[in-house]
């Protein structure tokens, strides 16, 4: 089922310079990673998810504890099938067993609307893994059809923005030529099944690479002059929307103008190493808070003004066991004890988080369906570690390089 069909909102309060305004915030998605040894039990995460108005959650696995904890909450889930399982999933029987155990067992109490098969597979430069991707997606979809679930659960995969060869101006967005033969079958699959195209986009990395040239206001959704696409005359006042439209342009160039694009990951770290410019609580607050404010306006991008913004913020928690630079362990909206890392400027609901929370609890209730074939959280290390190339802008005419030139001229 196309995720675009679900649109929720909640009454919240946004604070501007001490003045309080009630608003309706559009559907917010959040990534729930678990590479940590100090996270709260899933049942204690439910009120935290609701406190930020999130109605959609993306898991990097199909953790039975999480799926059971969110039963009858109305929260919509995307569950992940890790890269390490793609080879097995080419077998329809194995795919059907996985779907029965990790999806069907929780329906309809837990709302599972999509399965993303693999994460950033095409940019791993692993031909064997790439060769398994489409067959695995097809097998999982066939399994859903066999089980009568294909109308409510879609199949997709998530990509790094590094699949783009050209991204400036946005209207000239194009996929890497060496990946076209791999991408086209995926797009055919999306067109036939009606599933969305997922992309992980991080303006933070453009700023981190060249903080003296890239406008911080431009990447944080703050007031700025922005840029104009010379081909379309469309005005862009933030980098994320320009990135999204570059993806739309790349899809259109291959003949897939109608495919919906969802942002499966985007975020900003609140802490980093000395060489990680901009990784501060204040910048993270501005990025995520302003992003949610934009979503509340229910406006699309300049190229797709009538398309809904389906965006999943990365991430729910700081994860203390993630490899890589300090920033990788500090993308969370919440600390493991349930307290906010920073204020988003959105009033929290009356839901409270117990001060006596148990941490790292791995035991589920006795009636939790048994997990099998790698549905546990360990798969997240495979598909979302710092080694997966989360480069926001790529290509011989890289997006951030061109933005540096433009922004230097107007600053």
């Amino acid at each position: 089922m196309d995720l675009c069909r679900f649109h929720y909102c909640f009454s919240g309060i946004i604070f501007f310079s001490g003045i309080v305004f009630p608003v309706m915030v559009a559907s917010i998605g959040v990534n729930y990673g678990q590479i940590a040894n100090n996270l709260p039990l899933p049942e204690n995460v439910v009120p935290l998810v609701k406190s930020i108005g999130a109605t959609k959650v993306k898991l990097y696995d199909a953790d039975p504890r999480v799926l059971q904890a969110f039963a009858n909450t109305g929260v919509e889930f995307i569950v992940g099938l890790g890269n390490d399982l793609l080879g097995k999933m080419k077998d329809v029987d194995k795919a059907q067993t996985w779907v029965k155990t990790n999806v069907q067992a929780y329906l309809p109490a837990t709302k599972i609307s999509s399965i993303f098969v693999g994460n950033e597979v095409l940019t791993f430069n692993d031909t064997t893994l790439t060769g398994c991707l489409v067959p695995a997606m097809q097998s999982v979809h066939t399994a859903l059809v066999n089980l009568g679930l294909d109308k409510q659960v879609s199949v997709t995969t998530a990509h790094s923005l590094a699949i783009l060869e050209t991204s400036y101006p946005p209207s000239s967005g194009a996929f890497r030529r060496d990946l076209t033969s791999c991408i086209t079958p995926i797009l055919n699959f999306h067109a036939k099944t009606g599933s969305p195209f997922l992309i992980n986009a991080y303006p933070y990395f453009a700023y981190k690479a060249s903080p003296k040239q890239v406008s911080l206001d431009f990447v944080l959704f703050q007031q700025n002059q922005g840029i104009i696409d010379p081909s379309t005359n469309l005005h862009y006042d933030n980098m994320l929307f320009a990135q999204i439209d570059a993806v739309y342009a790349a899809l259109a160039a291959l003949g897939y103008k109608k495919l919906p694009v969802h942002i499966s990951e985007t975020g900003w770290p609140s802490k980093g190493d000395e060489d990680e410019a901009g990784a501060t609580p204040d910048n993270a607050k501005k990025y995520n808070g302003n992003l949610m404010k934009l979503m509340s306006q229910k406006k699309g991008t300049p190229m797709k003004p009538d398309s809904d913004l389906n965006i999943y913020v990365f991430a729910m928690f700081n994860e203390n066991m993630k490899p890589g630079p300090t920033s990788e362990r500090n993308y969370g909206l919440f600390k493991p004890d349930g307290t906010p890392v920073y204020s988003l400027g959105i009033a929290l609901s009356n839901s409270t988080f117990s001060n006596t929370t148990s941490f790292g609890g791995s035991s589920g209730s006795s009636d939790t369906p048994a997990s099998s074939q790698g549905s546990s959280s360990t798969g997240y290390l495979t598909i979302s570690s710092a080694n997966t190339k989360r480069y926001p802008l790529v290509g011989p005419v890289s997006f951030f390089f061109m933005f540096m030139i433009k922004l230097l001229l107007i600053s």
Side-chain angles (χ1 to χ4, degrees), residues 242-366:
Q243 290 177 334
I244 295 171
D245 278 355
V247 175
Y248 275 122
L251 291 172
L254 292 183
Y256 296 89
K257 293 182 179 180
K258 296 183 179 180
L259 281 187
V261 174
H262 294 186
I263 304 305
S264 42
E265 288 185 20
T266 193
W268 196 283
S270 60
K271 184 179 180 181
D273 295 320
E274 289 186 5
D275 62 345
E276 295 189 290
T280 68
D282 186 58
N283 287 341
K285 171 184 176 178
K286 288 177 180 176
Y287 185 85
N288 289 320
N290 287 338
L291 174 59
M292 292 181 185
K293 175 183 166 185
L294 268 181
M295 291 175 68
S296 75
Q297 297 173 3
K298 299 185 178 180
K299 293 191 298 186
T301 64
M303 191 180 292
K304 296 281 186 176
D306 298 323
S307 296
D308 294 316
L309 291 175
N310 286 273
I311 298 176
Y312 290 78
V313 175
F314 189 89
M316 192 68 193
F317 295 104
N318 285 338
E319 300 169 66
N320 68 343
M321 295 180 69
K322 288 197 71 179
T326 296
S327 62
E328 284 292 319
R329 294 175 288 283
N330 289 278
Y331 274 88
L333 301 177
F334 291 95
K335 300 174 184 177
D337 65 0
T339 58
V341 176
Y342 46 82
S343 170
L344 283 170
I346 299 177
L348 299 182
S349 73
N350 291 327
S351 300
T352 57
F353 188 84
S354 171
N355 290 327
T356 58
T357 299
S358 299
F359 296 95
S362 59
S363 61
S365 59
S366 58

Side-chain angles (χ1 to χ4, degrees), residues 15 19 34 39 45 68 87 109 141-143 175 210 222 229 243 251 285-286 308 311 333 357 408:
F15 296 91
I19 304 174
Q34 299 182 76
L39 298 183
V45 177
Q68 187 177 50
H141 178 69
T142 298
F175 292 115
S210 300
Q222 299 283 91
D229 186 318
Q243 290 177 334
L251 291 172
K285 171 184 176 178
K286 288 177 180 176
D308 294 316
I311 298 176
L333 301 177
T357 299
L408 276 172

Side-chain angles (χ1 to χ4, degrees), residues 64-308:
R65 301 171 306 141
V66 175
L67 295 177
Q68 187 177 50
F70 278 83
N72 303 309
T73 62
V75 175
E76 178 184 332
F77 274 83
I78 298 179
V79 296
L81 201 159
N83 293 355
D84 55 324
L85 297 177
L86 297 188
K88 294 180 181 179
M89 292 303 110
K90 292 192 297 181
D91 184 318
V92 174
D93 290 335
K94 291 180 180 178
Q96 190 155 316
T97 298
W98 190 92
V99 171
K100 282 183 177 180
T101 303
N102 297 291
V103 177
Q104 187 179 44
Y106 302 97
L107 297 171
T110 302
K111 270 177 97 171
I112 301 174
S113 63
S114 186
I115 302 166
F116 76 101
V117 179
N119 190 63
E120 302 187 347
V121 172
L122 299 185
T123 46
F124 268 94
N125 298 317
D126 184 329
T127 55
T128 300
L129 191 63
T130 297
C132 293
L133 180 57
V134 172
M137 293 172 70
Q138 292 171 333
S139 291
V140 173
H141 178 69
T142 298
L144 290 167
V145 172
N146 293 343
L147 296 170
L149 299 174
D150 58 302
K151 302 302 181 185
Q152 66 183 104
V153 182
S154 67
V155 177
T156 185
T157 186
H159 303 280
S160 162
L161 205 62
I163 61 174
L164 293 184
E165 180 170 297
T166 305
S167 51
Y168 181 86
S171 59
S172 69
F175 292 115
R176 281 169 43 184
R177 282 167 286 182
D178 63 312
L179 294 180
T180 301
S181 62
C182 303
I183 292 173
T184 301
I186 296 173
L187 302 183
N188 283 333
F189 176 87
H190 288 310
K192 290 178 180 178
T193 64
S195 57
F197 186 82
L198 303 187
I199 197 83
N200 300 335
Y202 287 87
Y204 163 69
F205 288 103
Y207 181 77
K208 173 186 172 181
S210 300
K212 293 183 179 179
Q213 286 77 38
V214 175
S215 165
L216 185 60
D217 287 338
F218 187 75
V219 293
L220 294 180
F221 309 98
Q222 299 283 91
Q223 185 174 357
N224 67 94
Q225 293 183 11
I227 64 154
I228 294 177
D229 186 318
S231 298
T232 62
N233 208 36
L234 293 174
H235 178 260
Y236 290 88
D237 59 10
N238 70 81
M239 185 175 284
L240 180 64
F241 281 13
Q243 290 177 334
I244 295 171
D245 278 355
V247 175
Y248 275 122
L251 291 172
L254 292 183
Y256 296 89
K257 293 182 179 180
K258 296 183 179 180
L259 281 187
V261 174
H262 294 186
I263 304 305
S264 42
E265 288 185 20
T266 193
W268 196 283
S270 60
K271 184 179 180 181
D273 295 320
E274 289 186 5
D275 62 345
E276 295 189 290
T280 68
D282 186 58
N283 287 341
K285 171 184 176 178
K286 288 177 180 176
Y287 185 85
N288 289 320
N290 287 338
L291 174 59
M292 292 181 185
K293 175 183 166 185
L294 268 181
M295 291 175 68
S296 75
Q297 297 173 3
K298 299 185 178 180
K299 293 191 298 186
T301 64
M303 191 180 292
K304 296 281 186 176
D306 298 323
S307 296
D308 294 316

Side-chain angles (χ1 to χ4, degrees), residues 10-13 46-53 346-354:
F10 82 107
S11 293
I13 298 176
V46 176
L48 290 180
V49 169
K50 291 191 171 185
S51 75
I52 58 170
I346 299 177
L348 299 182
S349 73
N350 291 327
S351 300
T352 57
F353 188 84
S354 171

